[in-house]
Amino acid sequence: MSDFSFQGVTPDLILDAVESVGFYPVSGLLPLNSYENRVYQFLADDQKRYVVKFYRPQRWSDEQILEEHQFTAELANAEIPVVCPLAIAGETALQWQGFRFAVFPSIGGRALEPEQLEQLEDLGRHLGRLHLTGSARPFTFRPQLYTRAGLDEAVNELLACELLPDSLREAFRAILLPVVARVHAVNWDAYTHVRLHGDCHIGNLLWRPEGLTLVDFDDCRQGPAVQDLWMMLSGDRLQQQIQLETLLEGYEEFMEFDPRELHLIEPLRALRIIHYMAWLARRWEDPAFPHNFSWFAEPRYWEQQILALKEQLSALDEPPLRLQPGFN
């Protein structure tokens, strides 16, 4: 079994790593809210705050990590507000004692408020500019958002998960497989794929005095543009319609949106639900996961997921959101 753990990432190792590239903390290490990687904030002797991110071993290759960094550098060069890793002697992808890490400037800000339509429209502008840059060329090493093999692997991990109660295993399988079949049935190749943020939710959007900044490109991938839009939609159908059109008002100032992609929202939601469950199952041996996601081991969680998948299967049969006639 591959070692995806962070055993060995001790406070002493973290300090030695950042000091090896010229940063000398004068404060303690403040762990930030990240489970996939290990991320810490510190105040250095230059009285500036920084964030050091240790990449989970064997999740991304060196080439895939560097491609994330290169993408954010392209976006910054296009004057799109993002947080880029700092280059140390010309290198952004750093190593210490077998662990890959990067150092970022620490920025403050407050969460975007999606009920504020002017903020939502501004996000649309940012995403339009991001996708315009992202469409210039494809990723070479980063994976596609959807792959048949990736989804099938997630399904196999879930069905083999020892935390899935035997009493619910058949019911879970009976609803999971039809949902998966519907996702597989989408002709993903019929849509344009661009380089994406990939995980565009409120937690990765910071509203600052100078405007909106996008953070955390760890999940950047190649996929349809709507992936970076649909997670900002909430509420009933009318509310989602208003939110969608507000986003696209800003988006289409820079990038044309293919309305056919509205058919992908529910398949993408299903894909995220399944991959999230599989992520928890895959990472369960990491001590941080049983501590922070204890409910994953409870039968009630799996009962709720069976119901959620039933609702998602119904949503896949509903007509997609539609843009109002005359929308530009």
Side-chain angles (χ1 to χ4, degrees):
M1 177 180 294
S2 298
D3 181 11
F4 291 92
S5 74
F6 283 100
Q7 292 182 0
V9 180
T10 64
D12 285 343
L13 181 139
I14 298 166
L15 291 172
D16 288 344
V18 297
E19 288 180 1
S20 75
V21 292
F23 296 91
Y24 299 93
V26 295
S27 69
L29 297 166
L30 175 66
L32 301 183
N33 187 24
S34 176
Y35 299 108
E36 183 61 11
N37 301 298
R38 293 294 184 267
V39 184
Y40 304 87
Q41 184 186 77
F42 64 91
L43 178 69
D45 60 353
D46 61 2
Q47 298 305 304
K48 296 180 181 178
R49 295 193 180 275
Y50 298 93
V51 169
V52 58
K53 169 183 172 181
F54 285 82
Y55 287 86
R56 182 174 289 273
Q58 301 187 41
R59 176 176 180 243
W60 295 126
S61 68
D62 290 342
E63 293 85 0
Q64 288 168 329
I65 291 173
L66 190 58
E67 208 162 39
E68 171 202 340
H69 296 177
Q70 291 169 339
F71 185 36
T72 57
E74 282 183 61
L75 296 173
N77 287 338
E79 299 184 344
I80 301 167
V82 296
V83 178
C84 299
L86 299 172
I88 313 297
E91 300 292 334
T92 57
L94 311 170
Q95 297 207 25
W96 181 257
Q97 300 296 317
F99 292 98
R100 284 91 56 84
F101 73 100
V103 180
F104 301 80
S106 177
I107 67 168
R110 56 185 175 85
L112 179 140
E113 302 172 39
E115 65 276 9
Q116 300 293 326
L117 295 183
E118 67 274 13
Q119 293 188 20
L120 210 56
E121 186 174 348
D122 194 45
L123 172 60
R125 293 188 189 96
H126 279 66
L127 293 176
R129 296 172 66 203
L130 188 156
H131 292 169
L132 182 62
T133 300
S135 66
R137 61 183 180 86
F139 282 132
T140 301
F141 301 102
R142 285 259 160 175
Q144 297 279 339
L145 181 67
Y146 162 83
T147 65
R148 176 176 286 271
L151 181 53
D152 287 344
E153 181 182 4
V155 169
N156 291 335
E157 288 171 333
L158 285 171
L159 294 178
C161 181
E162 295 180 356
L163 299 176
L164 172 58
D166 289 339
S167 61
L168 298 174
R169 192 171 296 274
E170 187 52 41
F172 181 75
R173 182 178 185 276
I175 188 60
L176 175 65
L177 295 186
V179 172
V180 169
R182 294 293 298 277
V183 176
H184 280 326
V186 173
N187 183 7
W188 295 95
D189 291 337
Y191 300 90
T192 300
H193 286 51
V194 300
R195 289 177 293 171
L196 303 164
H197 181 284
D199 193 27
C200 188
H201 58 76
I202 290 176
N204 287 332
L205 304 168
L206 288 179
W207 196 261
R208 310 175 68 206
E210 56 268 43
L212 184 64
T213 298
L214 288 81
V215 301
D216 192 1
F217 280 74
D218 193 69
D219 283 307
C220 62
R221 296 169 186 260
Q222 193 94 3
V226 74
Q227 167 64 18
D228 280 347
L229 299 169
W230 73 263
M231 276 186 279
M232 301 309 299
L233 308 180
S234 61
D236 61 28
R237 191 176 181 88
L238 177 58
Q239 289 173 309
Q240 292 188 41
Q241 187 80 39
I242 294 170
Q243 293 160 357
L244 173 65
E245 293 186 355
T246 301
L247 279 167
L248 292 179
E249 284 283 358
Y251 186 90
E252 292 208 318
E253 291 181 23
F254 299 94
M255 186 79 170
E256 184 177 358
F257 178 75
D258 180 357
R260 296 181 307 140
E261 291 191 15
L262 298 179
H263 292 269
L264 299 179
I265 290 178
E266 294 307 328
L268 287 168
R269 194 190 311 274
L271 190 67
R272 187 173 178 86
I273 290 170
I274 295 166
H275 276 304
Y276 181 74
M277 288 190 289
W279 174 68
L280 292 172
R282 189 179 306 128
R283 299 289 185 250
W284 196 248
E285 293 184 2
D286 184 328
F289 280 71
H291 177 72
N292 291 286
F293 304 99
S294 58
W295 37 261
F296 186 68
E298 298 174 0
R300 183 181 177 186
Y301 168 79
W302 296 94
E303 293 170 353
Q304 291 170 339
Q305 293 309 107
I306 290 170
L307 292 174
L309 288 169
K310 287 180 178 178
E311 292 175 358
Q312 189 57 36
L313 187 60
S314 295
L316 287 163
D317 289 327
E318 295 177 0
L321 291 172
R322 298 183 63 184
L323 300 177
Q324 294 297 324
F327 178 83
N328 293 320

